[in-house]
Structures are given as structure tokens and as C-alpha cells.
Amino acid sequence: MMEKPALDSSEERAWLGEDQSEMQLAAIPEMAESNDEDRPAWDSKMQYVLAQVGFSVGLGNVWRFPYLCHQNGGGAFMILYVFLLLIVGIPLFFMELAAGQSIRQGSIGVWKHISPKLIGIGFSSCVVCFYVALYYNVIIAWSLFYLGNSFQYPLPWEQCPTDVTTNETVKECASSSPTPYFWFRKALDITNSIEESGEFNVIMTGCLLAAWAIVSLAMIKGIKSSARVMYFSSVFPYVVLFIFLIRGLLLDGAIDGITYMFYPKLEIWGNVQVWRQAATQVFFALGLGYGSVIAYSSYNPFHNNCHRDALMVSCINFMTSVLASLVVFVVLGFRAKTIALHCVAENLGVLTHMSSNGSSQYWWPPFTVTDPSSVSLPEYRQWYNEYGSMLGPQFTDCNLEEEMNK
């Protein structure tokens, strides 16, 4: 019987390498099961979803998204945001979920597992999280300061304070309004320039320490303590947003604000800056690159359906941005219409003064000038657009859209 020829050394190495790779692939589920026993896990699927939603939904949705939507064409920015969310955001979000869930380590461990040379990315994400926590806790400190002052009656930002020395209204507040005066002088206690350090703000420092204490108590026992906090911190903002939305929809001008929000100004797509801001908002809203998404998913079972989680959390994130924008724009619509109606009342006051002097011209409006409440904004604008070129500079066009732009 002839002997079989010996394997070539290169063929032998290739055969052993393929066999070893197959053995490693077969061993992955076993490694995952062993890691499941060692690593803590979420008590329920609800805890994990609330954790991901609580992390991704934040100031980026409630504060930054309405601002960018107002600045960049309303509905056109929303369409662009959804497009980039589908093309870039959801795939990257799924990638982070899958990486954390399969490797079952934090951001540093995941990148080290992929390649030891990439461990710097994990450390960088931790540094970024620390920087974000610094200014987020400052904003929380402002919120705690505002919350404490909101229990006073009358509210400190309701009217301008009185100077105790002259017994007159503070001139700086009278020249602006009570709200910015309270914010800049009472809350921030700012100086006139950056060269002036100012005095030590004891109350705001105490609020900042309280904010850090709340964060420490929430994270002191890892997911065991943070998961309980998520039930409140993830759900309560939605309760507040719905309350604000219901109250805002009852205001005069709310529909005008919503119309302004969803009306698409498609010409804005030609601006590269708008695309950049939309892409930045996608990363900022989903929390991509911070490492927290990887850390949260690492406490999941190995066989968890992270495809569904990526789609679900991303959709909840976007709908929260729309909800927050609705809350903001109904208030903006109310404020803009209030200013526009005040403008109408001032112009009608000029007409009333002219009528008392016996002025009666062919351009005289058909509505009653002595009763501003009976004159609607469209009626006044129709009259002004027809005869505005013949009127003097004392008359102005009370444009609701211009007020919204401001």
C-alpha cells in the first residue's frame, strides 16, 4: 500500500488555521454564556430600554433640536435629519449595541478586544463623557436653582425689583425685562467682561454640588442603582412635555407656531452648513461615540435582539425631538402672535389719534380702529399690504412670520 504524501508546510498551516478559526467561532457562544454568569445584567428588558432612552434623550432633543429646526428651515431640516438618521445614525447605533452585547465589556474593553492599538479610542470616549458631564451638571444646577425659586410668590422673574436706596425700579431691569434680569443678575450674577472674576456665587455652587451628589447616588452601585433611577428620569420628562404641550395648544397662536415648524423651506438644502448641523445632531442625539451605548448594551444577554433595539430607541429618540419641538413652537407661536397683535394695537392707536383730528382718507381701514380686540391680524395685514406704500413711517407691518424668525 502506498503511503499518503506528506502535507506541505504551508498547506498544513492553512489547514490548522482554518480548523482553529472554526473552533474559535464555535466557542464564542460558550464564552458568552460564561461571561453572562460573571457580568451583571439588567433585571428586565424594560430597564435596559429605559436606560438607553434615558441616555439618548436629553438636552439634544429638548433644547438643541428645536433650535436647529427653527434656524434651518423647519420641516426641511426634519426631513434631512430623518434621512441622515436612516443612512448614518441607526447603522452606527446598531454597531455600538452589537459590539457591547457580543464582547460584553465597556468602551475601553471593547476597543482593546478589537485591537490593542485602538484602546486610545476607549479612553478618549471616557474623557469626552467627563467633559459632557461637567457642563451637563452645570445646566442641572441652573435647573435646581430655578426649581427652588419657582416656589416663591410672587415669582422673582414676574416683575422688576426695586432699588432699596432710591425706592425706584432697577433701571437695568426696566430697560430689558424681569426675566433676563433674573437670569443674568440673580442666577448667573455675571460681570461686565471676562476679565472681571466677580464674587463667589454660594447658592449656585451649592446647586452644582447637589447635582453632582445626585449623579453619584445614581451611579454608586452601577446598574443596580442607576436602573431604579431610570424609571423616574426616563418617564418623568415625557409627563412634563405632554403637560406643556396640552397647555401650549390652548394658547392663541399655537397653530401658527406648528405651521411654521412643519412648513418645509427646501432651498435650505443647498447650504452645506445645514447638512453638517443635521449630521452633528444625529450623533449628539443618539449619543454615538461616547461609549455609554456600548456600556449599557454589554449588560444584555448575548442573544438579545439588538436589531430591534436599535430601531426602537432611534424612533423613540426622534419622536421625542418632535414632541419637544412642538412644545417649543406652540409657545413661540403664542409669543410671536402676542407681539404682532401688540403691534396692531399700537398702529390702531395712531389711527385713533388721527381720527380724533378729523382725518378721513380714502385709504382709511374698513374695521373699527377704536377697538383693537375686534381687529384680526389678517385683516390688518390685508389693509397694510394694500395701502402701506401710501402711509407714513409711523405705521408698520405687523408680520407674524418675521416675529417667528426673530
Side-chain angles (χ1 to χ4, degrees):
M1 183 179 292
M2 298 179 59
E3 295 183 0
K4 295 182 179 179
L7 287 172
D8 183 69
S9 58
S10 58
E11 294 179 357
E12 184 178 3
R13 285 195 300 267
W15 180 82
L16 290 174
E18 292 176 0
D19 185 65
Q20 187 176 5
S21 300
E22 292 178 359
M23 293 175 61
Q24 290 177 350
L25 289 173
I28 287 179
E30 298 178 0
M31 294 171 59
E33 292 177 0
S34 62
N35 289 337
D36 284 346
E37 299 176 357
D38 299 335
R39 191 166 180 81
W42 301 103
D43 292 338
S44 63
K45 181 75 172 188
M46 180 63 68
Q47 281 188 357
Y48 166 68
V49 173
L50 290 177
Q52 290 287 14
V53 171
F55 171 72
S56 61
V57 173
L59 292 178
N61 306 83
V62 181
W63 190 343
R64 196 169 185 269
F65 186 88
Y67 158 72
L68 292 176
C69 186
H70 179 274
Q71 187 185 36
N72 298 311
F77 179 81
M78 285 193 177
I79 297 174
L80 183 59
Y81 177 85
V82 172
F83 172 74
L84 294 177
L85 180 67
L86 295 174
I87 300 300
V88 180
I90 294 179
L92 290 178
F93 188 69
F94 165 71
M95 184 188 72
E96 292 198 10
L97 291 180
Q101 181 175 305
S102 60
I103 301 176
R104 299 189 58 76
Q105 295 186 40
S107 179
I108 298 175
V110 164
W111 287 106
K112 183 179 179 181
H113 180 86
I114 295 174
S115 175
K117 296 180 180 179
L118 300 178
I119 193 174
I121 299 178
F123 284 108
S124 300
S125 64
C126 294
V127 173
V128 171
C129 284
F130 176 71
Y131 286 155
V132 172
L134 288 179
Y135 77 80
Y136 259 52
N137 280 290
V138 170
I139 298 174
I140 294 175
W142 293 342
S143 303
L144 294 176
F145 179 81
Y146 169 79
L147 180 63
N149 282 273
S150 65
F151 289 100
Q152 299 183 30
Y153 182 81
L155 293 173
W157 53 84
E158 185 175 348
Q159 57 186 4
C160 290
T162 303
D163 193 342
V164 293
T165 58
T166 61
N167 201 23
E168 296 179 354
T169 303
V170 178
K171 294 182 178 180
E172 184 182 8
C173 179
S175 61
S176 57
S177 68
T179 303
Y181 180 82
F182 171 81
W183 170 244
F184 288 107
R185 294 304 179 196
K186 299 297 182 180
L188 298 183
D189 193 18
I190 64 170
T191 57
N192 295 325
S193 64
I194 196 173
E195 286 79 13
E196 303 177 30
S197 60
E199 299 179 356
F200 182 72
N201 196 329
V202 179
I203 299 178
M204 192 58 69
T205 303
C207 293
L208 182 60
L209 292 176
W212 277 104
I214 294 172
V215 174
S216 300
L217 291 175
M219 302 297 296
I220 193 169
K221 292 183 179 181
I223 64 171
K224 295 300 180 184
S225 57
S226 62
R228 298 186 181 94
V229 177
M230 292 298 175
Y231 284 109
F232 173 79
S233 62
S234 299
V235 176
F236 182 70
Y238 290 97
V239 177
V240 175
L241 285 175
F242 276 110
I243 293 174
F244 284 165
L245 179 61
I246 295 172
R247 177 67 184 93
L249 290 174
L250 300 177
L251 298 173
D252 186 23
I255 302 301
D256 299 300
I258 295 176
T259 303
Y260 184 90
M261 170 185 167
F262 285 105
Y263 181 78
K265 301 176 183 177
L266 300 181
E267 64 274 7
I268 203 74
W269 287 355
N271 189 351
V272 179
Q273 186 73 4
V274 177
W275 287 77
R276 186 190 67 83
Q277 290 183 347
T280 303
Q281 178 61 20
V282 169
F283 278 80
F284 191 77
L286 291 177
L288 300 175
Y290 290 98
S292 300
V293 175
I294 295 176
Y296 283 151
S297 63
S298 66
Y299 299 108
N300 271 336
F302 180 79
H303 297 289
N304 177 62
N305 190 347
C306 53
H307 297 83
R308 182 178 57 194
D309 294 341
L311 292 173
M312 178 173 57
V313 175
S314 300
C315 291
I316 294 174
N317 186 286
F318 173 68
M319 296 308 297
T320 305
S321 299
V322 175
L323 175 63
S325 298
L326 285 172
V327 173
V328 171
F329 274 86
V330 294
V331 177
L332 289 180
F334 164 72
R335 178 173 173 81
K337 190 166 185 178
T338 302
I339 296 174
L341 291 176
H342 181 70
C343 170
V344 172
E346 289 182 346
N347 285 275
L348 293 183
V350 176
L351 290 172
T352 303
H353 179 71
M354 292 175 63
S355 64
S356 63
N357 295 334
S359 175
S360 179
Q361 303 292 336
Y362 68 93
W363 47 261
W364 198 258
F367 43 78
T368 306
V369 298
T370 57
D371 186 13
S373 61
S374 64
V375 181
S376 65
L377 191 59
E379 287 177 337
Y380 173 83
R381 293 213 63 218
Q382 182 180 0
W383 169 78
Y384 183 86
N385 291 333
E386 187 175 353
Y387 299 105
S389 59
M390 306 175 186
L391 304 176
Q394 67 270 30
F395 294 99
T396 55
D397 181 17
C398 302
N399 194 334
L400 179 63
E401 186 175 354
E402 288 184 0
E403 295 299 332
M404 286 292 299
N405 290 333
K406 294 177 183 179

